[in-house]
Amino acid sequence: MAIATNPFVFIGCVELRQALDRHALDERELMDRLEDVPAGSIFYHTHGYFLRHRPMTTAYGNDFARWAAVEVRDQALAERLAVVDPFAFRDLESLREELVTIVSDHLRGLTAVPRAEPSGAFHFQQSHIVTVELGPRANTLAEFRDGLAGVDASAIYFHMVEARARLGRPSGDFAEWMRMSLGLDALAQRIERIDTFMTSLERVRARVLGLVDQALETHAA
């Protein structure tokens, strides 16, 4: 079994939230705030949604869709926002533009602007990620498999979501390590293709484990 040129270090994370002085009571205000909030807030309410809702698959996909459905009760807008895959955009500004366009197009077809109750205002936030090293380092694919099986789910988020979307590592840390340190390019490509949108972190973990198990069986044969 190949020994990695560099060991894999599992990194877990916690999210430190920061409330912004930006709020929306109706859909027009939501559109206006989307245009001027920091990019970090767009990230928090889209990509970051998967860290906060990790125990189960969510029906909404981002905080904006959830607000439209639950607080404004505008299912048409909620459905349009829910299918926006944040991982499909090259950067946060492109994602912001798509969200603004969806809300703007939706409003053009309405005679009245849907509004939430005062208690249901949308409150924009952003967050900072604090990281911590978890467990023993992995020097082989088998050790990686053992570590991945038991590591905190926040590590799945950090290596598969945060790394891709905000840290400039588009392949994700798992695939990059397998390619660069173990020379397992085919396995790396399969892991790169895992879709992290509209699923749970535990399902992503299971998908990676399944691919790693297949590779281990192939090498053992």
Side-chain angles (χ1 to χ4, degrees):
M1 182 176 294
I3 303 297
T5 55
N6 291 294
F8 189 87
V9 181
F10 288 98
I11 303 294
C13 62
V14 293
E15 188 179 45
L16 300 182
R17 304 180 191 181
Q18 176 189 358
L20 302 175
D21 189 21
R22 300 284 195 284
H23 315 284
L25 265 175
D26 63 40
E27 292 176 1
R28 188 171 301 282
E29 289 182 355
L30 178 70
M31 181 184 69
D32 292 341
R33 303 297 179 268
L34 281 169
E35 291 181 323
D36 64 20
V37 293
S41 184
I42 302 296
F43 182 93
Y44 173 86
H45 292 295
T46 54
H47 301 84
Y49 190 82
F50 298 98
L51 179 61
R52 299 190 299 282
H53 296 269
R54 68 191 190 196
M56 63 188 72
T57 301
T58 170
Y60 302 108
N62 60 70
D63 289 327
F64 307 121
R66 181 194 176 282
W67 180 75
V70 176
E71 303 298 344
V72 184
R73 299 181 182 178
D74 185 342
Q75 292 299 322
L77 178 60
E79 289 173 5
R80 292 188 65 182
L81 290 170
V83 297
V84 175
D85 179 357
F87 304 100
F89 294 85
R90 67 181 183 276
D91 54 41
L92 291 172
E93 291 306 321
S94 299
L95 173 57
R96 182 205 302 271
E97 182 179 349
E98 176 67 11
L99 294 168
V100 170
T101 298
I102 287 173
V103 179
S104 176
D105 287 348
H106 181 72
L107 287 172
R108 276 199 288 269
L110 302 178
T111 56
V113 178
R115 186 177 182 87
E117 295 294 329
S119 60
F122 189 95
H123 301 284
F124 284 88
Q125 301 182 64
Q126 62 184 1
S127 67
H128 305 281
I129 295 295
V130 177
T131 61
V132 60
E133 183 174 333
L134 301 175
R137 300 184 175 198
N139 290 286
T140 66
L141 187 60
E143 290 178 357
F144 173 86
R145 195 261 180 232
D146 291 342
L148 180 64
V151 78
D152 185 78
S154 68
I156 312 300
Y157 174 84
F158 181 81
H159 294 299
M160 290 289 287
V161 177
E162 185 81 6
R164 286 169 157 175
R166 194 151 60 168
L167 300 180
R169 302 195 287 267
S171 295
D173 293 337
F174 298 155
E176 187 68 12
W177 179 73
M178 290 171 188
R179 176 178 292 114
M180 301 303 295
S181 291
L182 290 177
L184 299 174
D185 188 63
L187 176 58
Q189 289 183 34
R190 294 188 185 99
I191 290 175
E192 282 176 337
R193 290 196 290 267
I194 292 176
D195 187 358
T196 53
F197 179 56
M198 291 296 284
T199 188
S200 69
L201 295 174
E202 290 303 333
R203 289 187 179 183
V204 174
R205 185 205 305 266
R207 288 286 309 281
V208 177
L209 285 173
L211 292 172
V212 170
D213 285 342
Q214 290 176 16
L216 288 170
E217 290 172 5
T218 299
H219 286 291

